Amino acid sequence: MSDGIETGLPPNWEVRHSQSKNLPYYFNAAEKNSRWEPPAGTDTEKLKVYMAKYHSSSLDILPQGQAGKIRAAHLLVKHNESRRPSSWRETQITRTKSEARSILERYQKSIDSGEVSLGELASTESDCSSARKRGDLGYFGRGDMQKEFEDAAFALKVGEISGIVDTASGLHLIERLE
């Protein structure tokens, strides 16, 4: 499907697309295993370029209004205390929670000033695989997400962006889309 030179992935790894989650993932053809985060040895700069070019799905159309569900996007910054301190951007995240908070505060100022949208920032800076969809998590209902995330997302009005939300995954900014 894709070669290591173009994607930045190590030998035998390729990018595939999950039909159930509608997101790209990483597959090792030799070992027949897959993962959501890039494998060790990935050139993350090359991978960012590849993903933006071939797996950006900002034009995807999602189903309209699902009863009891909302649609939100987020920008996640993980830290060394996150439950999985790795992402598609970094195989091992070493920043502290305080450093992650400072990064998100800077992003929040850029968003609040109108300099950039949450979706634009999420596509290159989020530590979540939803970055490929501009942070769009699609529709979800109560009980589908971590409680702190869910409570913050459901409290927002459409178009509003949360303050920093702390979960086991890391720190988030959340935008209610629908």
Side-chain angles (χ1 to χ4, degrees):
M1 294 216 161
S2 47
D3 60 59
I5 296 167
E6 186 179 344
T7 63
L9 294 171
N12 299 319
W13 285 93
E14 59 188 51
V15 179
R16 291 196 174 176
H17 195 85
S18 165
Q19 297 303 314
S20 61
K21 298 223 180 237
N22 195 26
L23 288 172
Y25 66 95
Y26 306 96
F27 180 75
N28 184 312
E31 297 174 16
K32 302 284 188 246
N33 65 8
S34 62
R35 56 188 296 157
W36 291 109
E37 281 83 24
T42 297
D43 180 331
T44 55
E45 290 308 310
K46 284 183 183 176
L47 182 60
K48 278 186 197 180
V49 171
Y50 174 83
M51 296 307 282
K53 187 173 182 181
Y54 298 105
H55 288 275
S56 176
S57 55
S58 59
L59 300 178
D60 283 358
I61 297 170
L62 295 172
Q64 295 299 310
Q66 298 188 6
K69 295 188 175 193
I70 64 169
R71 183 172 153 230
H74 76 136
L75 194 165
L76 170 64
V77 177
K78 290 185 175 185
H79 50 79
N80 58 7
E81 297 174 45
S82 296
R83 70 176 172 191
R84 275 197 345 255
S86 66
S87 77
W88 69 277
R89 299 177 66 236
E90 298 175 70
T91 53
Q92 183 177 6
I93 294 172
T94 58
R95 76 178 70 90
T96 65
K97 191 173 189 176
S98 176
E99 290 167 332
R101 183 172 296 280
S102 294
I103 291 167
L104 258 189
E105 287 169 351
R106 202 169 55 248
Y107 293 160
Q108 192 169 28
K109 284 180 185 163
S110 295
I111 294 166
D112 290 347
S113 73
E115 180 184 326
V116 67
S117 71
L118 183 138
E120 289 167 332
L121 264 178
S123 66
T124 58
E125 305 305 320
S126 182
D127 286 318
C128 180
S129 58
S130 68
R132 293 155 193 118
K133 297 175 64 132
R134 298 173 53 93
D136 192 335
L137 296 167
Y139 289 93
F140 58 89
R142 293 267 184 204
D144 291 340
M145 300 288 181
Q146 293 175 41
K147 181 164 179 28
E148 304 87 351
F149 186 97
E150 178 183 292
D151 289 347
F154 273 86
L156 296 170
K157 293 184 177 111
V158 173
E160 283 185 332
I161 297 176
S162 71
I164 295 172
V165 177
D166 189 347
T167 71
S169 297
L171 303 176
H172 312 253
L173 290 176
I174 305 167
E175 180 177 10
R176 172 101 177 245
L177 301 175
E178 292 182 35

